Amino acid sequence: MMSPDATDEDIARVVARVESVGGEANVSKGVVRTIIGLVGDIDSFHHLNLRTLPGVADVHRISDPYKLVSRQHHHDRSTVWVGRPGRQVPIGPETVTFIAGPCAVESPQQTLEAAQMARSAGATILRGGAYKPRTSPYAFQGLGVKGLEILADVREATGLPIVTEVVDARDVGVVAEYADMLQIGTRNMANFGLLQAAGESGRPVLLKRGMTATIEEWLMAAEYIAQRGNLDIVLCERGIRTFEPATRNTLDISAVPIVQAASHLPVIVDPSHAAGRKDLVVPLSRAAIAVGADGVIVDVHPQPEVALCDGPQALEGAELRELAQAVRRLPALVGRVAAQAPMPAV
Amino acid sequence: MMSPDATDEDIARVVARVESVGGEANVSKGVVRTIIGLVGDIDSFHHLNLRTLPGVADVHRISDPYKLVSRQHHHDRSTVWVGRPGRQVPIGPETVTFIAGPCAVESPQQTLEAAQMARSAGATILRGGAYKPRTSPYAFQGLGVKGLEILADVREATGLPIVTEVVDARDVGVVAEYADMLQIGTRNMANFGLLQAAGESGRPVLLKRGMTATIEEWLMAAEYIAQRGNLDIVLCERGIRTFEPATRNTLDISAVPIVQAASHLPVIVDPSHAAGRKDLVVPLSRAAIAVGADGVIVDVHPQPEVALCDGPQALEGAELRELAQAVRRLPALVGRVAAQAPMPAV
Amino acid sequence: MMSPDATDEDIARVVARVESVGGEANVSKGVVRTIIGLVGDIDSFHHLNLRTLPGVADVHRISDPYKLVSRQHHHDRSTVWVGRPGRQVPIGPETVTFIAGPCAVESPQQTLEAAQMARSAGATILRGGAYKPRTSPYAFQGLGVKGLEILADVREATGLPIVTEVVDARDVGVVAEYADMLQIGTRNMANFGLLQAAGESGRPVLLKRGMTATIEEWLMAAEYIAQRGNLDIVLCERGIRTFEPATRNTLDISAVPIVQAASHLPVIVDPSHAAGRKDLVVPLSRAAIAVGADGVIVDVHPQPEVALCDGPQALEGAELRELAQAVRRLPALVGRVAAQAPMPAV
Amino acid sequence: MMSPDATDEDIARVVARVESVGGEANVSKGVVRTIIGLVGDIDSFHHLNLRTLPGVADVHRISDPYKLVSRQHHHDRSTVWVGRPGRQVPIGPETVTFIAGPCAVESPQQTLEAAQMARSAGATILRGGAYKPRTSPYAFQGLGVKGLEILADVREATGLPIVTEVVDARDVGVVAEYADMLQIGTRNMANFGLLQAAGESGRPVLLKRGMTATIEEWLMAAEYIAQRGNLDIVLCERGIRTFEPATRNTLDISAVPIVQAASHLPVIVDPSHAAGRKDLVVPLSRAAIAVGADGVIVDVHPQPEVALCDGPQALEGAELRELAQAVRRLPALVGRVAAQAPMPAV
């Protein structure tokens, strides 16, 4: 968009700049100002710097900046499979996948109990953190490799595939060795080296939305993973930072249908970390399924009052049973079924 | 909370100030700093100005600032009845009330058609604006009293009670004469003169959340209405302003269970104005019912492409039928029924 | 902007719609999608509802929605004069105007003392609230007409013109009778009836930015006043709502040069209400003058510890002397002088 | 804070839990509810999970969560020295340090020219990016080690010490080998592995505020660096994400005095990345110096129109001269001098 006092030379200069990189520039002269529409390969437009040219008032990008994760050239929504061959659990448009487990792996006993709680409630994938990014350097930072080993043991015991967070590109190798799915957390959504390493890990990736990322930035982060050849990406809405203090973050429930319209990737919801309060987890899970999410991921803990991380949001007892019921009953209302691993052949 | 270098005199001065207005001050001396807990009537604490005293580091209010709308002394959730005696529609904890209609009243024909669409889809209250607050002084501002007359005629023709917005305290009288329920819009949530006038109007009030109001400020606005003797207040979550540009506002779905825990007042959801996009209205309405809202309010229009206000978010045709189905099927899942007016006695 | 799968008929329909209201539609066909540029009178485009047409992916407005307050057709920045003939104080591009006074008028004695403090510190306009919009209905709401009378008396005693807030369109008449300038507060920036009444009051208006209003919405609010024939408008940046809890609001210092580029109206800064903490008032006032603001407005109180409103942010003593020094010394650095009323002729 | 219906056993359970980790619990019984004040080592309180106990309504932390960077036990503000022995430039409370250079290192020629522009304008430290974190994987990602070599050559040629960004913990070693100061960018403020690696690098660190981080989270990130033995940390305010679209981010100018009150670390301002528009860089730099910042860091480029990164915000020509003048004249007004390296002994 040119400013009202742009001259003909200003316009010609813009057109020449666009054509110099192989683009096409369509000039619309108006009464007040002139608008120039650019057509061409967006990659070639990155360094045009049109805003620095005289007479240019503003520049608006019109087309999507992501490609591989866009639904534009990949119309059907994708299903991502998690777990070992023959026991894979789907996350995709036909199902509602329930993922549950403790925020942090604290001990073999606690992890096993949490996994059993999760499985009894209908979960088919186990979550649990061995590496914990914490705001305070004085808070519990996770058990590391020891935690990964515990998760692997619990997978053996329960049959549940495992998703666990990786917070450093240097750890992607070891985490991929143990885990069935890598989680990139909200603080690392724009840690591009980590995204690229996850893209080369050979594992499906659960990509949480940055707590202050726009949906477009989130899809661009997914594009970083996809660009390394890995399209097994599941997006996870987990709340955004707003002015409202009553919840830790504001769950952006609208992001689910918006992502599903823009991208073919599955998208699930984490109500536990969004709200930070366990009394909201069941109603928000119901809302997530009703809005059309491809799954939900929640914190459970056998003894929330001694949890080393996020105890106040972990479900147990009556609330977990209520959630289990919602996960059983609601998917049918949106034309889906609860996701299961296939029964092993006898 | 005192600062670490507060002296004994500083502490004594705070205690004396609190006691001078009849309050009680409990002093907790710690290793690093001292905390003083205030107990007493919060009204008497408004002008203490403790932050101005030497040695005071910070002041945190602990108890709720609202009283009449709080659930603390009024544990059972309230039901508000809308409409003329014998034909009243409930909004409350047992039901899901569906309110629909055009954003603006444009003509008798358009309003009647929209009302018939609304009723066919299961709506039992008609919405429609005669006074429209618009960001631009050059945009359509509504038909005023002429619009109120149209609404009254359409109520006669369809039997639907009417909720309509009032934007100026000087208009409360005339709007209350025609309407069954007054709406206070998002831009006027902190227009205290208007709130007080609505509190004296004798009509139930639909109080939309300010697009940048915290839940606490919203409940304080309701307290302004309640203080004038009117407890027939229904709250309406309609999206808050955030950094995300994909929706006009971000629907804060968590506000529904939070308000229901803090206040006895009913709370409904407006997905049309939150999203500003009609493709999100059906999924967000499903989410609202699933999260436990006491109702939903949506825009419908017989010809969205010629609407004078918010055409892009108005439902019609297939989408409205899909919404009607959701409103029929989902309430049972949360232990409710769709709200109806009682059948007239024969 | 058309969607990638828009048909030729879709495009023709948009063009026809635009032409039907006298506009011009320039079609730019690209490889992926078509962009249509609209040229014409923006008022005629308000009800086009292009987003409702098939094949339309998005609509971006390019030109400014305000006219009278825009700098586009009124290139020189304006000066607004406040006060009675012969004693008017300017607010404009040549000067830095210092406005000070108590948040609320509490008594004749307190107001007079605050005014004398303000004048001694270099202020040439007195602020003070007789009508106070408060979040809580239980907080002090101001003295009303009695407060206006006190302000008028203090003007007599000190010679300072008065700016005071009006919160209800019904009060504009009486406030305009007493005050030299009407203030529209942050909560009422989108109270369009009040804006229009102020536009007809015959007094200059100080229009505070809504705490969650974009700069464009703020200028649109000024347009409401201007449309009623009153261009004596001064804008006031007073902080916006963000996620940062350390200040009551976040002072958007960038808004000053942005407004000055977009509009001819003067713009001043209120650091007291932005920060809510008196220790920030002096540094933020220095920043405001250095960034190029046309003035600053601050709270002063003879006894902050007994103030009925916002005591914690009111200046006195050493801090006020420090501010006075900044107001004297900094304007020269940005090529301005401190604003004074002309000396009365002897 | 206990809920109003908490029982004596609930209170006793909280007290016992606090005492079990060596803390002290002071109980204040009020008319409506009981408040329990905790005193003790905050580290021992991390896993108390009081919110999970029956009768607990809310938990507020009162004391600061950071220690090493706090001003509480280190009252004097710190000066950080950047550069090789004998040629070090200070950043601290006595000076205003001017840092300038290109957003990205593109070529030896471009970097040298930008450095000469920077030095002529009064800059005493050179900025320039060899590793660029970009939202799009298709955008220019920097020259890497080749860029570091160019920076080292330009340091030789101009005598300016170098600050450059590191985006991956694996690169800290090589960047520390070439650079005089490591920059942690806004997207990596919560990349804890990177923070820790920077803490062990032996170089001073410039820590940009996360664009959506609170001031407290920012200081916690600094604490991660400090905990590894490195207290040579300079904080950099660079704008936060808000709803206002007129600037890329909203410069939070108030953060400067707030940080200076809470922490002994120096704090500078980056107006270029905050605004994203070069017309705001000079006024915002003036505001930064006037508010009391310990320095400013800006983008300059010999030919902004061909810059590979952020061309629209880079200064050159008249604007750079205007900035140079502000940097010369304004420090005296806040009792400072422009920071210089000591003259080499003859």
Side-chain angles (χ1 to χ4, degrees), chain C residues 79-308:
Chain C
T79 296
V80 171
W81 295 87
V82 179
R84 288 163 297 175
R87 291 287 295 160
Q88 289 178 308
V89 177
I91 307 178
E94 313 289 328
T95 47
V96 173
T97 307
F98 180 22
I99 306 174
C103 183
V105 171
E106 300 166 17
S107 72
Q109 180 64 15
Q110 165 258 9
T111 307
L112 181 61
E113 286 180 28
Q116 286 164 338
M117 289 168 66
R119 197 178 53 179
S120 302
T124 52
I125 299 178
L126 176 67
R127 60 151 294 161
Y131 297 87
K132 302 299 308 173
R134 303 298 293 273
T135 304
S136 167
Y138 305 108
F140 176 63
Q141 311 269 330
L143 297 180
V145 175
K146 175 72 193 146
L148 296 175
E149 288 166 358
I150 293 172
L151 285 168
D153 289 346
V154 171
R155 173 175 52 199
E156 286 311 303
T158 62
L160 297 172
I162 286 161
V163 55
T164 195
E165 182 165 358
V166 55
V167 300
D168 194 307
R170 296 168 294 188
D171 300 328
V172 165
V174 67
V175 176
E177 198 179 303
Y178 286 94
D180 299 291
M181 183 181 215
L182 306 184
Q183 177 180 314
I184 307 275
T186 187
R187 288 176 183 79
N188 281 308
M189 193 206 80
N191 182 338
F192 302 122
L194 179 59
L195 295 172
Q196 290 169 329
E200 293 166 356
S201 69
R203 294 286 179 200
V205 179
L206 181 65
L207 178 62
K208 291 202 156 186
R209 181 178 181 182
M211 69 182 84
T212 52
T214 63
I215 293 172
E216 186 175 296
E217 290 167 342
W218 187 19
L219 292 173
M220 289 303 286
E223 188 84 2
Y224 264 95
I225 299 170
Q227 241 208 344
R228 298 292 167 123
N230 186 351
L231 275 163
D232 288 333
I233 307 164
V234 174
L235 301 164
C236 179
E237 161 63 33
R238 46 78 67 216
I240 57 174
R241 181 161 274 183
T242 71
F243 61 80
E244 173 56 58
T247 42
R248 183 156 54 177
N249 291 117
T250 297
L251 182 69
D252 182 8
I253 195 88
S254 314
V256 173
I258 291 170
V259 163
Q260 291 175 340
S263 170
H264 57 88
L265 300 178
V267 57
I268 68 171
V269 168
D270 178 346
S272 305
H273 286 80
R277 292 167 47 161
K278 75 175 168 176
D279 63 321
L280 299 181
V281 172
V282 174
L284 292 180
S285 295
R286 285 198 312 254
I289 299 172
V291 91
D294 302 312
V296 291
I297 179 169
V298 305
D299 282 14
V300 301
H301 197 287
Q303 291 174 279
E305 68 280 11
V306 298
L308 295 181

Side-chain angles (χ1 to χ4, degrees), chain C residues 209-217 240-247 249-254 257-258 261 275 277 279-280 282-284 286-292 329-330 332-334, chain D residues 209-217 240-247 249-254 257-258 261 275 277 279-280 282-284 286-292 329-330 332-334:
Chain C
R209 181 178 181 182
M211 69 182 84
T212 52
T214 63
I215 293 172
E216 186 175 296
E217 290 167 342
I240 57 174
R241 181 161 274 183
T242 71
F243 61 80
E244 173 56 58
T247 42
N249 291 117
T250 297
L251 182 69
D252 182 8
I253 195 88
S254 314
I258 291 170
R277 292 167 47 161
D279 63 321
L280 299 181
V282 174
L284 292 180
R286 285 198 312 254
I289 299 172
V291 91
R329 293 177 57 195
L330 277 166
L333 275 162
V334 284
Chain D
R209 181 177 180 183
M211 68 182 83
T212 52
T214 63
I215 292 171
E216 186 175 297
E217 290 167 342
I240 58 175
R241 181 161 275 183
T242 72
F243 61 81
E244 173 56 58
T247 41
N249 290 117
T250 297
L251 182 68
D252 183 8
I253 195 87
S254 314
I258 291 171
R277 292 166 49 161
D279 63 321
L280 300 182
V282 175
L284 292 180
R286 286 199 311 254
I289 299 172
V291 91
R329 292 177 58 196
L330 277 165
L333 275 162
V334 285

Side-chain angles (χ1 to χ4, degrees), chain A residues 31, chain C residues 14-26 37-42 44-45 48:
Chain A
V31 175
Chain C
V14 170
V15 172
R17 176 75 62 96
V18 172
E19 293 176 350
S20 74
V21 297
E24 193 185 324
N26 295 301
L38 270 63
V39 176
D41 178 9
I42 197 162
S44 65
F45 293 164
L48 281 180

Side-chain angles (χ1 to χ4, degrees), chain A residues 209 215 244 286 290 333, chain B residues 209 215 244 286 290 329 333:
Chain A
R209 181 179 181 181
I215 292 171
E244 173 57 58
R286 286 198 311 254
L333 274 163
Chain B
R209 180 177 181 184
I215 292 171
E244 174 56 59
R286 286 198 311 254
R329 292 178 57 196
L333 274 163

